[in-house]
Amino acid sequence: MASCPNTNLQSWKDLVASVGEDIAYYLWDKYEGNIPQDIIDDIAIDNERYQLSDPQKDVVKQLATTTNDLYKVDKKTTDEKGKEVIKQVYMRTLPTGEKEIENRVTDIVRQKAKEAGFDEENLTTSEKTFNAFKRDLGIKFHGYFEDIHNRFFNKAGIKRPDALDRSPFNSKVDEQIYGKLETYFTDLVNSLPEGTIFLSEQMLYNPKTDTAGTVDLLAIDKTGKTHIFDWKFGTVYKGEEDIPWYKQRAYDVQIGAYKGILKDVYGIKDFGNMRAIPIILQTQIKNKMDGTTDYNLTGAAIGSVDPTKIKSLLLTPISEQTESTGDKKIDEMVRKINVLTHRLEDSSATDDQTRDLKIEKLSAFRRAARLIQGQSDLSGLIQVIEVLKNQGDKIVNEYNLTYKDRAATSLDSTDKELSNFAMEMQEFLASADLFDRIDIQLEDYLYTPEMEIDAVTDEDKEYVAELKATLTGLRQQTRDIYESREQVKQIIMDFGAKHVGERNLTIGLLDPEAISKGLSSNFQGASEIGIKAVNILYKLNLQARSNAKEAAEAGVNKLIAIRDRLIKRGNVEELMNKIFKRTKDGDKVNQLVNRFDTAFKEEFKKNAIKDDVKWLFDNIDTDKVREEANKIINRKIDTVNKFYADDEEKRTNAIQRIKRIWDIDDPDFSGWKENYLLQKYPLDKWYSKEFKEIMDDPDLKELYQYVAELNEKATDVGFISKKLLHSFLPFVRKEMAERFTQGNWLAPIQSFYDSIKMNPDDVGYGSYDEITGKLENSIPKYYTKDFSVRKSGPNDYTDVSFDLLKNLILYTQEVEKFKYLNEVEGQVDLLKTIEEFKNEHLATNRSGNVIMDANGDPKIEKGNEDNIKTLDQFTRALFYGQKYVLSDVDTPLGLNKAVTAVKKIINKVAGREIVKIDDDSSPTSLVKLMDAFNRGFQLKT
């Protein structure tokens, strides 16, 4: 760490005179007092024509401190599999010594990608080799950008009068790529205001969260407006039309993290461009004589700084969600599209058909936002309006044809079907409300009469005529959406009254009701509370759980029968252990044993990179793939035909894309990555040794097939993701089983401590969000969280139960419960919408009796908020299993001091440390704390 300069020395005064005080401090810190003279001379010359503004000086001064305090080093560590790896970490220089920064922005990005299904730890050797090849190129070309920056700007980010000479190249390809990057960089510089400073590879640090990151290019203009650019080098699969969605989401998180640090720590309030710049590497695969694969770089493609010149989404910048277009109206449109996207992402799908439709909608919504922010193109937004218009038409038609005249008790109606329709109606209303009268908001951007006057050439006139026709069509679509919205509101009431109310033996769901208040609302159960919507909720919930229990019992009986046979054979644990996967060291892992030899995945990925379809046909069961793929193709094409009913071009392109992915006989087949059937049906020759051993044992074979079928069901209903289909086993904590064994006198105390904590994998508390620490209105997915994962190093299985049969019984029950609750969730949501639409209630006195008017009729008053609130509380507690409804009837508590005290008491009573004082705290509540005291007392007495 450099010492502070002696400001009384003449050398320091000369330095300040040459470059200014702020830059002088920046250079002193950066070079630890030994500033090269050529750097001083360069900046002195630049400063004659380029004076930093006060906002720029403030930021530069803070960034100088970060640059001085932070540096990167390579550190040896272990990954979650225990393998030694090299990881680049940030170090911070403090008066007390050097300290490793705990969090990196890149770690957040990797975690987001991992959550979306991309996990580099699960890649094959060939994939890792290819990724290493791309990573090396990325590092190399990041270096090119840094070199370009240094040629045009000095170390303080000030533009040089004349750019420095470019170094010669040994490779023609490298020279061409460098030229493209330089052109983009200089165009970018020229697109921002004169006097903007550009800082390359600028490190940022947030001391509150102990998080560091490095921005590839940070630009700060004289007003203090700051721009963030991050270079993203990568490759794409054949047929891909856009950057994969999980990468886009990760980039958004990364840029957002940089923005957050700059705002919270460096005081920046105004942001301009905040975007990841995709640069597509063009590679060629070369097969070597020894059978291995080598890779050659043939070129690279980068878009234009001018958005109107970008034709491909692959080269369109990925903007952070809050990036402004410079126009408040357009920004509001982007915000609405993002709201729509998030709502759709969070919505549940009960079957593959619904998921297919969801995917198409998400694709359209994301594309719209990308085109507006990245290319200043409104065509995607027009498509979103078309989607909404078509959705409204579809709902009205489906109701009239299917539900309007169908009897409430018709056996043709299923819970899943009714819930899907209910969810679709509610989703449409929410979307239609967002884009109400959008034609008025957009008309000046599409067409004005002045455009016709200004159009001179025939081409200009034709273009203006197209814009005018687009606006006319948009106005008609907006009117259609409004009409559909009003019809759908009425349909919701009629559909709800008949197919949700009468179907559950409840008449008069739409009628005003007395407000549930006083003792009746506090102490009565859902079935007696008197609100019809709550009564229906009770029946839906009870029936779903009864169906789940009945379905689970069949599975549990099958498991018990298998267990009994294994017990008769003896060595039950030894036999069961064959189901579990093992590490190379022989340690048990809570995953299913590999069905196929790991060599298959290795060869599959290697040949995917080569696009060797012949290898594919020689190594997979093509008949099984074709049979299942045809069903998928027909289902997806049916969805596309409905979704793009009025757009033949988009419909044709979408169908071609489906066939390229799922039809292995298509000449343009490119489904290596997305077609999961390819790795589902390898030929028998690829069976692993461990799997063959299980198949040779009838009892273990039946057990394995039970787990495989259960996982199949779990993926179908959305309980686990498809990537876990062949490997998932439930994660159940073993503490409870061990705690109440004979002689374990610490059990009541340990139980009390654990009971006041709230973990994402807690069973019986509802769905809990790790980030916000709040309970969510979503059906819980218990036993799916891998709590063995540590922040660094191998997984810790200390608290994981390996009692397979018991775990599978619990897993079976939860999957069935999730399935049947999921099938009625849309109807449950509809009940609240109906209560909101009623917006009136029967007036009551303090005793809860209905007040009559002068004519002897019940007095009706406006508003229904109390009953809506009561329904919401019962829904969260009864349906979503939120034992502690924090927002309304509970008091959240901070754990830090209270729980630390509890830990100390536990350890003092035990006479040893059985809970760690410094472990991570988690949220709790007053109700949960009281409940823990009560149960602790019951255990002792």
Side-chain angles (χ1 to χ4, degrees):
M1 184 176 181
S3 58
C4 294
N6 186 339
T7 56
N8 295 319
L9 293 178
Q10 186 59 43
S11 58
W12 171 256
K13 295 177 180 178
D14 292 342
L15 178 63
V16 172
S18 298
V19 301
E21 186 176 46
D22 292 311
I23 300 298
Y25 276 109
Y26 173 85
L27 295 175
W28 183 275
D29 287 338
K30 187 173 183 65
Y31 293 99
E32 297 185 346
N34 301 311
I35 309 167
Q37 187 60 44
D38 60 328
I39 297 292
I40 297 174
D41 294 341
D42 283 346
I43 295 176
I45 293 170
D46 290 343
N47 277 356
E48 291 180 6
R49 63 179 181 84
Y50 202 118
Q51 187 64 41
L52 293 184
S53 65
D54 288 339
Q56 287 174 321
K57 289 177 183 178
D58 291 340
V59 178
V60 165
K61 193 170 185 178
Q62 291 185 76
L63 290 173
T65 302
T66 300
T67 302
N68 179 53
D69 290 348
L70 245 57
Y71 62 95
K72 302 177 189 178
V73 296
D74 290 334
K75 175 188 175 184
K76 282 186 179 180
T77 184
T78 54
D79 62 17
E80 60 188 38
K81 296 182 179 179
K83 182 182 176 183
E84 189 175 274
V85 293
I86 302 295
K87 179 181 179 181
Q88 190 177 70
V89 299
Y90 290 89
M91 300 296 295
R92 187 183 180 202
T93 304
L94 299 171
T96 55
E98 307 300 305
K99 176 185 175 296
E100 181 181 334
I101 304 301
E102 184 176 359
N103 305 305
R104 304 182 308 167
V105 171
T106 50
D107 291 333
I108 301 172
V109 176
R110 286 199 179 101
Q111 182 59 33
K112 282 292 177 185
K114 190 172 181 179
E115 289 171 3
F118 179 82
D119 184 1
E120 187 156 320
E121 292 303 317
N122 293 327
L123 299 181
T124 64
T125 303
S126 58
E127 284 180 305
K128 288 180 179 178
T129 301
F130 188 45
N131 276 2
F133 168 73
K134 293 186 291 184
R135 191 180 298 112
D136 289 343
L137 290 177
I139 293 170
K140 177 180 178 179
F141 297 141
H142 269 85
Y144 281 8
F145 267 123
E146 192 167 8
D147 180 69
I148 293 166
H149 170 271
N150 292 339
R151 287 177 44 231
F152 285 87
F153 291 85
N154 64 27
K155 296 294 182 183
I158 297 173
K159 194 172 183 180
R160 300 179 187 276
D162 299 298
L164 303 179
D165 292 336
R166 180 198 294 184
S167 301
F169 289 87
N170 296 323
S171 162
K172 198 74 176 172
V173 172
D174 285 353
E175 185 174 10
Q176 290 172 349
I177 292 173
Y178 188 100
K180 288 182 179 180
L181 301 185
E182 181 176 325
T183 298
Y184 189 91
F185 183 88
T186 53
D187 288 347
L188 181 63
V189 169
N190 292 333
S191 71
L192 295 177
E194 183 70 25
T196 299
I197 58 172
F198 291 82
L199 301 170
S200 179
E201 296 296 314
Q202 178 60 55
M203 287 188 288
L204 306 175
Y205 177 63
N206 187 338
K208 289 184 179 179
T209 60
D210 199 25
T211 302
T214 301
V215 178
D216 288 341
L217 185 66
L218 193 65
I220 308 163
D221 70 21
K222 285 187 171 295
T223 68
K225 178 183 281 189
T226 299
H227 309 264
I228 303 168
F229 301 97
D230 213 73
W231 318 121
K232 296 298 179 185
F233 294 89
T235 57
V236 293
Y237 278 81
K238 182 177 72 175
E240 283 190 325
E241 299 173 354
D242 198 1
I243 304 297
W245 66 269
Y246 65 83
K247 287 189 178 181
Q248 292 187 38
R249 183 181 291 179
Y251 298 161
D252 180 71
V253 170
Q254 180 181 11
I255 307 268
Y258 292 149
K259 176 188 176 183
I261 296 174
L262 286 165
K263 182 179 179 181
D264 297 339
V265 179
Y266 300 89
I268 294 174
K269 298 177 181 177
D270 192 10
F271 291 88
N273 294 327
M274 296 179 290
R275 47 184 57 181
I277 310 299
I279 301 150
I280 306 301
L281 300 175
Q282 296 153 349
T283 60
Q284 190 177 63
I285 299 162
K286 190 165 133 187
N287 298 321
K288 297 166 77 174
M289 294 293 290
D290 60 2
T292 59
T293 304
D294 206 354
Y295 309 98
N296 289 332
L297 179 70
T298 59
I302 188 170
S304 171
V305 174
D306 181 353
T308 63
K309 294 181 180 179
I310 303 175
K311 303 303 179 186
S312 169
L313 274 175
L314 287 168
L315 300 176
T316 300
I318 297 102
S319 298
E320 195 267 343
Q321 286 189 25
T322 62
E323 179 189 287
S324 174
T325 62
D327 187 302
K328 290 184 178 180
K329 284 186 179 181
I330 299 299
D331 287 347
E332 180 61 15
M333 291 299 104
V334 173
R335 187 194 68 79
K336 288 179 178 181
I337 292 172
N338 286 329
V339 168
L340 210 57
T341 302
H342 294 319
R343 281 180 182 170
L344 194 54
E345 285 175 337
D346 293 339
S347 66
S348 59
T350 57
D351 53 36
D352 287 332
Q353 186 95 34
T354 310
R355 289 189 194 96
D356 291 341
L357 184 61
K358 179 177 175 177
I359 289 169
E360 291 298 333
K361 288 180 182 177
L362 281 173
S363 175
F365 296 163
R366 292 190 185 110
R367 180 177 180 273
R370 295 257 284 119
L371 286 173
I372 294 173
Q373 289 183 306
Q375 296 184 19
S376 301
D377 182 351
L378 293 175
S379 63
L381 178 58
I382 303 300
Q383 185 189 348
V384 169
I385 304 304
E386 291 175 4
V387 168
L388 291 179
K389 185 261 183 188
N390 292 338
Q391 186 180 6
D393 292 345
K394 175 181 174 294
I395 289 170
V396 174
N397 292 335
E398 186 172 352
Y399 175 75
N400 289 330
L401 292 173
T402 305
Y403 299 108
K404 185 175 181 180
D405 298 320
R406 180 186 286 181
T409 56
S410 172
L411 296 179
D412 292 334
S413 297
T414 66
D415 280 326
K416 182 194 291 188
E417 178 191 64
L418 296 175
S419 285
N420 282 344
F421 189 63
M423 285 190 290
E424 190 174 358
M425 287 191 290
Q426 293 174 95
E427 178 197 316
F428 170 73
L429 281 187
S431 304
D433 288 342
L434 276 176
F435 293 96
D436 185 36
R437 299 317 312 265
I438 195 173
D439 56 324
I440 295 175
Q441 299 173 54
L442 291 180
E443 59 185 359
D444 289 343
Y445 299 95
L446 292 174
Y447 165 81
T448 61
E450 288 75 19
M451 290 180 178
E452 291 185 303
I453 299 172
D454 295 338
V456 178
T457 67
D458 291 340
E459 186 178 356
D460 288 343
K461 291 177 181 177
E462 184 178 346
Y463 177 63
V464 171
E466 289 177 2
L467 291 176
K468 185 177 182 180
T470 299
L471 179 58
T472 301
L474 181 63
R475 284 171 174 161
Q476 183 59 51
Q477 287 173 341
T478 304
R479 283 193 291 270
D480 290 343
I481 290 173
Y482 176 80
E483 291 174 5
S484 294
R485 183 178 63 175
E486 297 308 304
Q487 290 181 67
V488 170
K489 285 181 179 179
Q490 186 58 49
I491 288 172
I492 282 178
M493 302 296 274
D494 296 340
F495 174 88
K498 180 193 281 189
H499 296 287
V500 180
E502 293 175 22
R503 188 169 186 262
N504 287 282
L505 307 179
T506 302
I507 306 297
L509 176 61
L510 307 184
D511 298 337
E513 297 177 87
I515 294 296
S516 180
K517 58 185 179 181
L519 292 177
S520 62
S521 65
N522 287 329
F523 294 104
Q524 285 188 338
S527 59
E528 300 93 18
I529 197 158
I531 300 175
K532 291 173 182 176
V534 175
N535 294 342
I536 296 170
L537 164 69
Y538 171 79
K539 292 175 182 178
L540 288 170
N541 181 66
L542 182 63
Q543 188 59 55
R545 292 176 187 272
S546 297
N547 292 340
K549 183 181 178 183
E550 183 179 343
E553 281 177 358
V556 170
N557 289 335
K558 187 181 291 187
L559 285 171
I560 291 173
I562 296 171
R563 180 201 64 182
D564 291 344
R565 292 199 300 271
L566 291 172
I567 289 174
K568 288 179 182 179
R569 293 170 57 180
N571 299 321
V572 176
E573 186 175 355
E574 183 180 338
L575 288 169
M576 289 288 191
N577 283 341
K578 294 181 179 181
I579 295 290
F580 291 99
K581 187 176 179 179
R582 299 270 175 177
T583 66
K584 291 180 180 178
D585 297 329
D587 295 328
K588 194 160 49 176
V589 176
N590 194 42
Q591 291 181 18
L592 267 179
V593 66
N594 287 333
R595 183 173 185 177
F596 300 105
D597 195 294
T598 54
F600 171 77
K601 188 176 180 182
E602 181 73 36
E603 288 298 310
F604 179 90
K605 298 293 185 176
K606 186 165 68 176
N607 284 281
I609 294 170
K610 298 178 187 177
D611 195 21
D612 188 345
V613 179
K614 182 180 181 305
W615 179 91
L616 191 65
F617 276 61
D618 291 340
N619 288 276
I620 66 169
D621 190 329
T622 53
D623 290 337
K624 287 184 179 178
V625 170
R626 287 191 184 100
E627 181 182 358
E628 194 165 336
N630 284 336
K631 296 175 184 177
I632 294 173
I633 291 170
N634 292 335
R635 187 192 73 227
K636 288 181 176 290
I637 288 178
D638 181 57
T639 299
V640 163
N641 283 334
K642 292 175 182 176
F643 189 72
Y644 296 113
D646 299 328
D647 195 323
E648 184 178 354
E649 183 181 355
K650 286 189 176 68
R651 188 168 65 249
T652 301
N653 290 338
I655 291 172
Q656 288 175 348
R657 186 176 70 247
I658 290 167
K659 290 182 175 179
R660 283 198 304 268
I661 293 170
W662 296 99
D663 184 358
I664 58 175
D665 299 306
D666 190 291
D668 297 320
F669 173 75
S670 60
W672 291 91
K673 188 175 182 181
E674 295 178 80
N675 188 338
Y676 64 87
L677 301 177
L678 306 181
Q679 295 191 63
K680 183 178 180 181
Y681 295 117
L683 292 175
D684 293 355
K685 67 180 182 180
W686 288 106
Y687 283 153
S688 68
K689 175 185 173 184
E690 296 81 6
F691 180 74
K692 288 178 182 177
E693 188 177 347
I694 291 173
M695 291 299 104
D696 290 339
D697 185 312
D699 296 325
L700 291 181
K701 178 181 179 180
E702 187 177 355
L703 180 59
Y704 182 94
Q705 288 175 338
Y706 178 89
V707 178
E709 290 169 7
L710 185 58
N711 281 350
E712 188 90 44
K713 178 182 285 188
T715 58
D716 288 344
V717 301
F719 191 78
I720 62 173
S721 66
K722 274 191 165 61
K723 69 175 182 175
L724 298 175
L725 176 62
H726 301 299
S727 62
F728 181 78
L729 286 175
F731 281 85
V732 180
R733 293 185 181 273
K734 65 181 181 183
E735 294 163 335
M736 291 300 295
E738 295 175 349
R739 201 174 292 150
F740 294 98
T741 56
Q742 188 175 3
N744 185 2
W745 62 275
L746 288 173
I749 302 175
Q750 178 71 41
S751 177
F752 168 72
Y753 165 62
D754 285 335
S755 68
I756 64 172
K757 294 174 66 179
M758 187 174 284
N759 299 307
D761 56 290
D762 276 350
V763 177
Y765 300 120
S767 183
Y768 163 59
D769 188 294
E770 292 180 75
I771 297 173
T772 64
K774 295 180 179 179
L775 293 167
E776 302 175 309
N777 274 11
S778 62
I779 303 168
K781 300 177 183 180
Y782 296 130
Y783 311 123
T784 58
K785 178 179 171 55
D786 184 356
F787 52 81
S788 69
V789 176
R790 298 191 300 172
K791 198 157 194 176
S792 62
N795 290 15
D796 181 5
Y797 286 99
T798 305
D799 198 27
V800 178
S801 168
F802 284 102
D803 188 335
L804 184 60
L805 283 172
K806 181 178 178 182
N807 294 352
L808 289 177
I809 289 172
L810 294 170
Y811 177 36
T812 300
Q813 292 170 340
E814 291 304 321
V815 170
E816 296 295 355
K817 186 166 65 178
F818 182 87
K819 173 182 181 294
Y820 284 100
L821 288 176
N822 199 31
E823 288 180 359
V824 300
E825 186 176 20
Q827 298 173 67
V828 169
D829 289 342
L830 194 70
L831 291 172
K832 184 176 180 181
T833 301
I834 290 172
E835 287 300 308
E836 290 170 344
F837 282 180
K838 283 162 67 169
N839 195 32
E840 56 186 15
H841 67 274
L842 299 180
T844 56
N845 57 30
R846 290 184 178 181
S847 302
N849 297 318
V850 176
I851 300 172
M852 299 296 178
D853 62 17
N855 298 321
D857 296 323
K859 184 179 180 181
I860 297 176
E861 294 183 341
K862 287 293 182 182
N864 196 32
E865 291 78 10
D866 288 337
N867 282 351
I868 292 171
K869 183 178 179 181
T870 300
L871 174 63
D872 182 58
Q873 290 178 351
F874 271 99
T875 301
R876 291 156 63 194
L878 195 68
F879 188 78
Y880 291 113
Q882 295 178 15
K883 189 171 183 181
Y884 308 107
V885 185
L886 295 178
S887 62
D888 294 326
V889 297
D890 197 3
T891 306
L893 295 179
L895 273 178
N896 294 339
K897 294 181 179 179
V899 171
T900 298
V902 171
K903 294 176 191 175
K904 290 179 179 178
I905 293 170
I906 291 171
N907 292 338
K908 183 176 180 181
V909 173
R912 59 186 175 88
E913 185 180 58
I914 65 171
V915 292
K916 294 184 179 296
I917 299 297
D918 58 351
D919 73 349
D920 293 335
S921 293
S922 53
T924 189
S925 65
L926 182 59
V927 170
K928 192 169 189 192
L929 190 62
M930 294 302 296
D931 187 44
F933 273 119
N934 290 335
R935 283 187 282 115
F937 176 78
Q938 290 166 2
L939 286 169
K940 294 173 185 178
T941 57

